[in-house]
Amino acid sequence: MTKLSVNINKIATIRNARGGNMPDVLKAAIDCELFGAQGITVHPRPDERHVRYSDVYEIRPLIRTEFNIEGNPIPQFIEMVLRIKPQQVTLVPDSHDVLTSNAGWDTIANKDFLKEVITRFKRNGIRTSIFVDPVPEMIIHAALTGADRVELYTEAYARMYPTDRETAIAPYLDAANAAIEVGLGINAGHDLDLNNLWYFSRSIPGLLEVSIGHALVSDALYFGLEKTIKLYLQQLK
Ligand code: PXP
């Protein structure tokens, strides 16, 4: 079964809007696991507008499932990941000024850099994943960096899903087959929700993990966190 990793950045965004500790991000991480999530994802950004670096340190000892830290491997990020040693690190090429991640890596242009960073993480026993667009060439080159997995950037799938789900999934099938061929594990994330998740997870062979934040936290406003997590888990069965 595909694992659900809950991205708790949006909970931190609500907390940061008022400066206090409501909602409590650490409690949310514990509760997501209690309610059935098989992983917790955080994505600290350099401006700390979502989850803060200090949150990441505090969350680490609380996690009983899988801790996945995403981010752009700038020196501060690399240092934190090496100190925290999560089960998984996902490398994302997000720049300072973007609202959210909006592209995968060019694994050809950045191969040497990625290889160097991945070698450091792997030497420390941390599983590595590279955020990529569903482009077989990028996936083949991702394998050459030594990464363990790729995370397929699903924004394009989610956008097209309501009008033409077969066309929307097609590049992801090619990408998944390329990943399987070169021995990479497959994760996915971005804009997955209760409408489009089931079709994606049942279509993609060997999908190991999805990380979901925005839609899941939004759904929790209506259903509550516990029920929402159960609804997402049902889609992955
Ligand atoms: N994967 C990556 C690399 C991301 O940057 C994000 C958003 O922080 C997600 C997955 C989760 O996306 P969403 O919040 O749309 O579920």
Side-chain angles (χ1 to χ4, degrees):
M1 191 181 138
T2 305
K3 285 186 177 174
L4 171 66
S5 185
V6 176
N7 179 320
I8 57 172
N9 263 39
K10 203 88 333 140
I11 296 172
T13 308
I14 299 172
R15 176 200 60 190
N16 297 351
R18 279 295 172 94
N21 194 36
M22 190 167 80
D24 182 336
V25 174
L26 306 188
K27 180 171 169 5
I30 294 169
D31 287 342
C32 286
E33 285 192 326
L34 268 177
F35 300 152
Q38 296 115 336
I40 300 294
T41 293
V42 291
H43 190 146
R45 294 175 193 270
D47 62 6
E48 301 199 308
R49 67 185 188 274
H50 304 142
V51 97
R52 300 182 187 123
Y53 274 59
S54 59
D55 293 324
V56 184
Y57 282 100
E58 289 184 72
I59 291 167
R60 174 65 176 118
L62 307 176
I63 302 301
R64 300 280 169 265
T65 56
E66 179 198 283
F67 197 29
N68 174 43
I69 307 181
E70 297 177 348
N72 194 332
I74 57 174
Q76 185 190 7
F77 179 88
I78 294 174
E79 188 194 323
M80 179 188 63
V81 172
L82 288 174
R83 284 176 67 182
I84 289 185
K85 293 192 175 46
Q87 281 83 4
Q88 179 173 272
V89 60
T90 302
L91 307 181
V92 185
D94 52 0
S95 54
H96 278 261
D97 47 349
V98 296
L99 214 50
T100 181
S101 313
N102 58 8
W105 284 97
D106 179 337
T107 54
I108 299 172
N110 295 286
K111 193 182 321 162
D112 292 342
F113 170 66
L114 288 169
K115 207 173 184 171
E116 190 187 311
V117 174
I118 282 167
T119 304
R120 286 185 74 189
F121 288 142
K122 287 185 73 171
R123 215 184 281 138
N124 281 271
I126 304 165
R127 189 204 301 143
T128 54
S129 179
I130 300 185
F131 191 56
V132 286
D133 290 302
V135 177
E137 197 185 9
M138 291 301 146
I139 289 162
I140 291 162
H141 284 83
L144 299 177
T145 66
D148 302 293
R149 297 188 183 182
V150 281
E151 178 180 325
L152 301 177
Y153 175 32
T154 46
E155 195 251 345
Y157 162 76
R159 201 163 6 94
M160 197 186 283
Y161 174 88
T163 50
D164 184 351
R165 67 184 193 174
E166 281 86 11
T167 306
I169 201 77
Y172 293 86
L173 284 173
D174 293 343
N177 287 326
I180 290 167
E181 219 157 275
V182 293
L184 286 167
I186 303 166
N187 295 343
H190 224 287
D191 295 306
L192 294 173
D193 64 24
L194 281 178
N195 296 315
N196 62 35
L197 179 60
W198 178 80
Y199 183 71
F200 189 85
S201 70
R202 68 146 221 181
S203 304
I204 298 300
L207 181 63
L208 296 170
E209 181 180 304
V210 287
S211 71
I212 306 183
H214 185 80
L216 191 152
V217 173
S218 303
D219 288 332
L221 292 175
Y222 288 92
F223 303 126
L225 190 56
E226 181 166 7
K227 170 108 189 282
T228 300
I229 289 177
K230 295 204 169 11
L231 289 171
Y232 276 80
L233 289 170
Q234 271 170 22
Q235 306 302 310
L236 294 169
K237 274 197 180 137

